[in-house]
Amino acid sequence: MQTPKAPTEQPDSSVFSLAQVSAVAVGAINTSIIHPAWLAEVGLLDDSSLASIELDLQQPGLRLTGPPDFGKWLIRPDRLTVETENAGVRPGSKVAKILELLPWTPVVAVGLNYRFAGPPSAAGKLAEIGFPTNFVVPGYSVPQRGLHVALSKEGEVTVRHLQLSLVEDELQLHVNFHTDTKKLDTQQTVKTLKRCDDGLAEIREIVQASLGIEIE
């Protein structure tokens, strides 16, 4: 008599995975200073490893693409953005380093943006919290459904925005840590960016408690 095989454990279909994380500083960015040679000089880039430099023909600025630990940089007069698909890269700390080196940079807001992807099948279990799974308007298609909330904590200026969207065949979760820095000095702004860089653990707690979904 053969011993029956144990059933193969199936992955949880409601688990979300990190697709992208980015950090942004909005203000008056000196694009004449922040260039590959300077980034290499201050230790943020190995100049020989830069994969590409793209000029924006619609407005002044550069787009730099480097190795995984460098990420992708968008340098424009009104904002500096660093994005990556590598969970081990800390884009907030990279933007914070620029502000530490250029402390006179006028910055009005900073943010950390996390994007997670999950299977559309997970949307069904979210109907109980108000996700519009059955929203129908006669004569119209619904290419995107969504739910958005903003969260704040007493004593903090950072606001957490959570947006859950079903776009075609993908369920997306966007989490944004937004901080108005008009009344903060450079040191406080840098501290905020570095703190939000550690936001993944907090996001896991929030979405588990509010949405009942897991993030790997």
Side-chain angles (χ1 to χ4, degrees):
M1 181 177 179
Q2 294 183 344
T3 303
K5 295 181 180 180
T8 303
E9 184 175 351
Q10 297 296 321
D12 188 346
S13 62
S14 64
V15 172
F16 281 54
S17 58
L18 181 66
Q20 185 185 79
V21 58
S22 64
V24 59
V26 180
I29 307 301
N30 192 332
T31 58
S32 298
I33 294 179
I34 308 173
H35 54 77
W38 183 78
L39 290 172
E41 185 176 336
V42 299
L44 285 170
L45 171 67
D46 178 357
D47 201 21
S48 63
S49 65
L50 192 64
S52 68
I53 303 175
E54 300 176 26
L55 294 175
D56 191 330
L57 299 179
Q58 297 182 343
Q59 57 181 309
L62 288 175
R63 182 182 295 273
L64 308 178
T65 302
D69 62 345
F70 179 74
K72 299 178 181 178
W73 291 52
L74 179 61
I75 307 162
R76 289 181 173 169
D78 66 332
R79 68 188 56 222
L80 169 64
T81 304
V82 179
E83 66 179 42
T84 179
E85 298 175 359
N86 185 343
V89 176
R90 298 169 60 85
S93 295
K94 294 180 183 295
V95 174
K97 178 68 173 179
I98 296 296
L99 298 183
E100 287 179 311
L101 293 168
L102 305 174
W104 53 85
T105 302
V107 176
V108 298
V110 295
L112 263 290
N113 305 292
Y114 294 82
R115 179 170 64 86
F116 304 89
S121 58
K125 64 181 294 186
L126 302 176
E128 60 189 55
I129 63 167
F131 190 81
T133 54
N134 298 315
F135 186 85
V136 176
V137 178
Y140 293 86
S141 63
V142 187
Q144 179 174 340
R145 306 168 189 271
L147 177 69
H148 175 252
V149 296
L151 304 172
S152 61
K153 297 179 73 172
E154 185 176 356
E156 288 192 12
V157 293
T158 298
V159 179
R160 290 86 165 155
H161 293 269
L162 280 74
Q163 179 175 329
L164 191 65
S165 302
L166 182 60
V167 183
E168 297 181 348
D169 294 330
E170 183 178 65
L171 192 61
Q172 299 177 0
L173 173 65
H174 295 261
V175 182
N176 166 250
F177 288 73
H178 175 81
T179 306
D180 186 324
T181 60
K182 297 184 188 71
K183 297 182 179 180
L184 303 183
D185 59 28
T186 299
Q187 186 176 12
Q188 292 171 314
T189 300
V190 165
K191 184 178 179 180
T192 297
L193 277 166
K194 292 181 177 179
R195 185 182 71 246
C196 293
D197 229 356
D198 295 320
L200 193 55
E202 181 181 355
I203 292 172
R204 287 193 176 102
E205 294 179 0
I206 291 174
V207 299
Q208 173 61 38
S210 61
L211 304 177
I213 58 179
E214 301 283 347
I215 293 177
E216 64 180 12

